[in-house]
Coordinates of all heavy atoms in Angstrom, one line a residue:
S189 N 13.1 11.2 15.0 CA 13.6 11.5 16.3 C 12.8 12.7 16.9 O 12.3 13.5 16.1 CB 15.1 11.8 16.3 OG 15.4 12.9 15.5
R194 N 16.7 13.2 12.7 CA 17.3 11.9 12.5 C 16.2 10.9 12.3 O 15.1 11.0 12.8 CB 18.2 11.5 13.6 CG 19.4 12.4 13.9 CD 20.3 11.8 15.0 NE 19.5 11.5 16.2 CZ 19.2 12.3 17.1 NH1 19.5 13.6 17.0 NH2 18.5 12.0 18.2
W195 N 16.5 9.9 11.5 CA 15.6 8.7 11.4 C 16.1 7.6 12.3 O 17.3 7.3 12.3 CB 15.6 8.2 10.0 CG 14.9 6.9 9.8 CD1 15.4 5.6 9.9 CD2 13.5 6.7 9.7 NE1 14.4 4.7 9.7 CE2 13.2 5.3 9.6 CE3 12.4 7.6 9.6 CZ2 11.9 4.8 9.5 CZ3 11.1 7.1 9.5 CH2 10.9 5.7 9.4
I196 N 15.3 7.1 13.2 CA 15.6 6.1 14.2 C 15.1 4.8 13.7 O 13.8 4.6 13.6 CB 15.1 6.4 15.6 CG1 15.6 7.8 16.1 CG2 15.4 5.3 16.6 CD1 15.1 8.2 17.4
S197 N 15.9 3.8 13.4 CA 15.5 2.5 12.9 C 15.2 1.6 14.0 O 15.8 1.6 15.1 CB 16.6 1.9 12.0 OG 16.8 2.7 10.9
S198 N 14.2 0.7 13.8 CA 13.9 -0.3 14.7 C 14.8 -1.5 14.5 O 15.6 -1.5 13.5 CB 12.4 -0.8 14.6 OG 12.3 -1.4 13.3
L359 N 16.8 11.5 4.9 CA 17.4 11.2 6.2 C 17.8 9.7 6.3 O 18.8 9.4 6.9 CB 16.4 11.5 7.4 CG 16.1 13.0 7.6 CD1 15.0 13.1 8.7 CD2 17.3 13.7 7.9
G364 N 25.0 9.2 8.6 CA 25.1 10.1 9.8 C 23.7 10.6 10.2 O 23.6 11.1 11.4
T365 N 22.7 10.6 9.4 CA 21.4 11.0 9.8 C 20.5 9.9 10.3 O 19.6 10.1 11.1 CB 20.7 11.8 8.7 OG1 20.6 10.9 7.6 CG2 21.5 13.0 8.3
A366 N 20.7 8.7 9.8 CA 19.9 7.6 10.2 C 20.6 6.9 11.4 O 21.8 6.7 11.3 CB 19.7 6.6 9.1
M367 N 19.9 6.5 12.4 CA 20.5 5.9 13.5 C 19.5 4.8 14.0 O 18.4 4.7 13.6 CB 20.7 6.9 14.7 CG 19.4 7.6 15.2 SD 19.7 8.7 16.5 CE 20.1 7.6 17.8
S368 N 20.1 3.9 14.8 CA 19.2 2.8 15.4 C 19.3 2.8 16.9 O 20.3 3.4 17.5 CB 19.7 1.5 14.8 OG 21.0 1.2 15.3
R369 N 18.3 2.2 17.5 CA 18.4 2.1 19.0 C 19.5 1.1 19.3 O 19.8 0.2 18.6 CB 17.1 1.5 19.5 CG 15.9 2.4 19.3 CD 15.8 3.4 20.5 NE 15.6 2.8 21.7 CZ 15.8 3.4 22.9 NH1 16.1 4.6 23.0 NH2 15.6 2.7 24.0
S377 N 24.1 1.1 13.4 CA 23.1 1.7 12.5 C 23.3 1.3 11.1 O 22.4 1.1 10.3 CB 23.2 3.2 12.7 OG 24.4 3.7 12.3
T380 N 21.9 -2.2 10.7 CA 20.4 -2.2 10.7 C 19.8 -1.6 9.4 O 18.9 -2.2 8.9 CB 20.0 -1.3 11.9 OG1 20.6 -1.8 13.1 CG2 18.5 -1.3 12.0

Side-chain angles (χ1 to χ4, degrees):
S189 63
R194 298 184 308 278
W195 173 264
I196 301 177
S197 297
S198 67
L359 292 179
T365 58
M367 59 178 292
S368 64
R369 292 278 299 167
S377 60
T380 304

